[in-house]
């Protein structure tokens, strides 16, 4: 008897949550005939997972409710409805046709409520959809940033990255739009890609680079290692096995000029999908042994296709970052400052900088932002006795979709997303380090502070 009741509940729910199938497939859904998700919608229709409205339409742009999403997943995954459950919801009675399905997805951990409320009629956001699908298909969480508008602080960050890495969900112009409601068409497309590998999106693509002296990505650690005073390697170490591969050896690269330094311990690496970008010292003073200009080289994570890039480059090319398929870097605004042994990093000095971006091929050059930053550089030099002048300011740091910087007036952040600037502190900083949740700052006297992002 209880099984019959469960079956009846399911039938009623399908009738209410997913409008009934009214016509033959050949003549079905005139409103999706030329829709971008036509193939995915018809896939689910032909597998009896979704239906249309009595008038024969599908209404692909209507938002999907939580109850409807739950029903689609129950059908797609062929999950038996829970029987004899003690699950209670404050907003779904046991007599409701939604109850059996919602109790089932709740117990399976697929779709959860808050404080006893299941909110069956509430529309589903794209972030919620990512979490629901990842849990439903038991996909791995992923920490690699994918979209420019989903930062590590977002509650569904790893869920969204997880379904993107599995080529289930994509975005638009590098954005995922996590707060937007999921339409019937979108959910249909995501669900089909989760069900059928042949329907997945093309190659995975991240829109946020990973920059550092040591960079972790896809289970490997990348860095520049030193063998002796003349030999340096770009290495890739497997985190599970400990196996280390040499991707690039500075002595094997044919220099364009004798007075160049291609690799040094501490040079930053910028990983963008399968490419490693390395800003290097394009020219070095013969007497001072200080860099006079900078260039950029690139190699793939499998050590293939090394190349010297023609852009960006120059005397003041610094602080490179890649974001949303564009290369960002700074130039000095007023002059090309010459650095020699008279330069003292302990004396606070600000320079006006210009944040510039270009397309990946160097075209479409734009000025993004003008700001002042302290003239102080990373701890990279030939020897500890050399003045620290190089391709990265300590006063400028990128993290996901934000640039942090400090000058005589304090510590600031600039959003690459909305081009807005805000002040974080009045601290006269000397060093800055970005963590997952804070900005660690050291002032002129060596006192340390922790600022919320």
């Amino acid at each position: 008897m209880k099984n019959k009741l469960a079956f009846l509940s399911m039938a009623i729910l399908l009738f209410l949550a997913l409008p009934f199938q009214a016509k033959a497939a050949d003549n079905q859904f005139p409103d999706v005939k030329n829709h971008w998700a036509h193939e995915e919608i018809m896939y689910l229709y032909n597998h009896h997972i979704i239906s249309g409205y009595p008038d024969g339409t599908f209404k692909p742009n209507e938002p999907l409710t939580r109850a409807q999403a739950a029903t689609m997943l129950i059908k797609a995954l062929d999950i038996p409805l829970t029987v004899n459950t003690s699950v209670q919801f404050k907003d779904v009675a046991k007599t409701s046709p939604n109850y059996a399905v919602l109790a089932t997805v709740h117990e399976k951990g697929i779709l959860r409520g808050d404080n006893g409320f299941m909110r069956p009629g509430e529309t589903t956001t794209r972030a919620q959809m990512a979490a629901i699908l990842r849990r439903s298909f038991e996909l791995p969480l992923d920490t690699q940033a994918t979209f420019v508008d989903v930062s590590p602080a977002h509650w569904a960050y790893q869920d969204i990255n997880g379904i993107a890495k599995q080529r289930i969900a994509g975005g638009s112009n590098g954005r995922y739009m996590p707060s937007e409601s999921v339409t019937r068409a979108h959910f249909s497309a995501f669900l089909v890609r989760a069900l059928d590998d042949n329907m997945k999106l093309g190659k995975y693509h991240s829109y946020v680079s990973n920059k550092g002296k040591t960079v972790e990505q896809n289970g490997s650690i990348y860095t520049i290692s030193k063998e002796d005073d003349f030999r340096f390697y770009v290495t890739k170490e497997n985190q599970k096995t400990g196996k280390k591969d040499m991707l690039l050896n500075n002595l094997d690269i044919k220099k364009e000029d004798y007075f160049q330094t291609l690799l040094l311990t501490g040079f930053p690496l910028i990983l963008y999908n399968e490419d490693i970008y390395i800003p290097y010292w394009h020219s070095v003073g013969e007497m001072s042994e200080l860099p006079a200009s900078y260039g950029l080289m690139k190699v793939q994570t499998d050590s293939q296709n090394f190349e010297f890039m023609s852009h960006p480059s120059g005397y003041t090319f610094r602080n490179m970052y890649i974001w949303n398929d564009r290369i960002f870097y700074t130039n000095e605004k007023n002059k090309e400052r010459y650095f020699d042994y008279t330069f003292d990093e302990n004396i606070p000095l600000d320079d006006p900088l210009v944040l510039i971006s270009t397309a990946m091929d160097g075209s479409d050059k734009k000025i993004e932002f003008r700001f002042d930053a302290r003239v102080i550089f990373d701890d990279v030099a030939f020897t500890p006795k050399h003045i620290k002048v190089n391709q990265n300011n300590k006063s400028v740091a990128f993290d996901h979709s934000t640039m942090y910087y400090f000058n005589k007036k304090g510590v600031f952040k600039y959003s690459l997303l909305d081009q807005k600037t805000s002040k974080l502190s009045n601290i006269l900083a000397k060093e800055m380090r970005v963590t997952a949740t804070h900005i660690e700052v050291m002032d002129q006297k060596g006192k340390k502070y922790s600022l919320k992002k």
Side-chain angles (χ1 to χ4, degrees), residues 157-331:
Y157 174 73
Q158 294 190 41
D159 296 292
I160 293 169
N161 294 331
I163 65 168
K165 188 67 70 72
Q166 298 297 320
R167 297 181 292 126
I168 291 170
S172 177
N173 298 319
R175 289 164 170 78
Y176 182 73
M177 299 154 287
S179 299
E180 289 193 4
S181 295
V182 175
T183 64
R184 287 164 58 83
H186 280 126
F187 196 85
S188 297
F190 296 143
L191 184 55
V192 168
R193 295 167 194 158
L195 287 168
D196 191 336
D197 287 347
N198 293 323
M199 301 292 285
K200 290 185 185 297
L201 296 172
K203 187 177 180 181
Y204 167 77
H205 186 81
S206 167
Y207 295 89
V208 182
S209 65
N210 198 348
K211 179 180 179 179
K213 297 176 182 179
T214 298
V215 177
E216 178 184 334
Q217 184 169 295
N218 292 334
S220 296
I221 297 175
Y222 300 82
T223 192
I224 297 177
S225 303
K226 176 181 178 180
E227 182 173 299
D228 53 44
D229 288 342
F230 302 99
R231 191 182 300 271
F232 296 85
Y233 305 114
V234 176
T235 60
K236 174 183 179 180
E237 182 179 354
N238 187 297
Q239 290 180 279
K240 287 186 177 180
T241 66
K243 180 185 177 184
K244 186 177 290 187
D245 296 319
M246 181 185 69
L247 304 180
L248 205 59
N249 176 352
N250 67 311
L251 297 185
D252 291 339
I253 304 172
K254 185 178 179 180
K255 293 183 179 181
E256 297 176 322
D257 186 276
Y258 179 79
F259 295 105
Q260 288 183 328
T261 299
L262 302 180
L263 296 174
L264 272 183
T265 303
F267 272 17
L269 304 178
I270 300 100
L271 265 71
Y272 194 62
N273 294 295
E274 301 305 318
D275 291 319
I276 306 172
Y277 295 81
I278 310 166
Y280 67 96
W281 297 356
H282 185 266
S283 64
V284 178
E286 185 176 0
M287 299 300 294
S288 68
E289 294 185 320
L290 295 178
S293 69
Y294 307 94
L296 183 65
M297 55 187 179
K298 179 179 75 170
V299 67
Q300 292 181 340
T301 54
D302 60 1
S303 76
Q304 300 299 307
N305 299 323
F306 171 84
E307 66 173 301
F308 286 108
M309 299 184 66
S310 59
H311 69 278
S313 62
Y315 298 102
T316 63
F317 158 52
R318 292 191 175 92
N319 306 309
M320 180 189 152
Y321 189 62
I322 302 179
W323 184 83
N324 209 7
D325 291 343
R326 294 185 68 82
I327 296 175
F328 287 73
Y329 61 95
T330 64
N331 272 345

Side-chain angles (χ1 to χ4, degrees), residues 336-390:
E336 295 177 350
R337 181 184 296 279
Y338 178 75
F339 292 95
D340 57 23
Y341 281 98
T342 63
F343 171 64
D344 186 354
E345 67 175 23
N346 294 307
I347 300 175
L349 173 68
D350 288 354
D351 249 357
L353 300 183
V354 180
L355 180 65
I356 297 169
S357 78
T358 71
M360 298 300 289
D361 63 0
S363 63
D364 191 30
K365 185 175 180 180
K366 297 179 180 179
I367 293 178
E368 300 282 351
F369 182 55
R370 301 176 189 273
F371 65 106
D372 290 346
R374 177 160 174 193
V375 184
I376 187 169
F377 301 98
D378 277 354
D379 296 327
V380 180
F382 278 128
T383 70
K385 294 181 180 180
H386 282 80
I387 299 297
K388 295 182 181 66
V389 177
N390 50 66

